[in-house]
Amino acid sequence: MYFSSDEKANVIIGEAAMNLFNAGQDVNVELLIKELKVMADSEVNEYRLEQMQNARQWLTGFKTIGSRSTSPANWLSRNTGNEPAASASADDIFFRH
């Protein structure tokens, strides 16, 4: 099975969410960031470490309302080709079927 880099980033956040869920913890931004840090502490794959760091940085923008940057999260969002590139924002998250 092939995963694009966007899908791999989604998978990493999903892994962190499932770890929290399986441990009986709430799944929220703060705990996702902490779980990604715990995961990174035992990770040896440099690419996954980079994805975890990028995911933590992106999630940090959601810690408080209004503190989020308006720059696009290029590792997670993409332009579908149906819209001009200028309209893509960090709020646009696309999932492939």
Side-chain angles (χ1 to χ4, degrees), residues 72 78-89 92:
R78 66 175 176 84
N79 186 359
T80 63
N82 298 334
E83 310 165 6
S87 70
S89 76
D92 297 334

Side-chain angles (χ1 to χ4, degrees), residues 4-6 8-9 12 45-52:
S4 72
S5 60
D6 289 347
K8 288 179 181 177
I12 287 176
N45 182 305
E46 289 295 323
Y47 179 75
R48 281 180 50 90
L49 281 169
E50 180 181 338
Q51 290 297 315
M52 289 174 193

Side-chain angles (χ1 to χ4, degrees), residues 11-84:
V11 168
I12 287 176
I13 292 174
E15 284 179 34
M18 288 305 298
N19 289 345
L20 293 170
F21 179 78
N22 288 335
Q25 296 182 1
D26 289 337
V27 177
N28 60 46
V29 172
E30 193 70 38
L31 291 176
L32 281 170
I33 292 169
K34 288 179 183 179
E35 181 61 25
L36 285 164
K37 174 67 174 130
V38 168
M39 290 168 58
D41 288 344
S42 62
E43 183 60 58
V44 295
N45 182 305
E46 289 295 323
Y47 179 75
R48 281 180 50 90
L49 281 169
E50 180 181 338
Q51 290 297 315
M52 289 174 193
Q53 175 62 30
N54 290 339
R56 284 196 319 263
Q57 288 175 345
W58 182 73
L59 286 168
T60 298
F62 291 94
K63 287 172 73 171
T64 59
I65 296 174
S67 69
R68 203 167 141 228
S69 167
T70 59
S71 63
N74 294 327
W75 65 272
L76 186 57
S77 64
R78 66 175 176 84
N79 186 359
T80 63
N82 298 334
E83 310 165 6

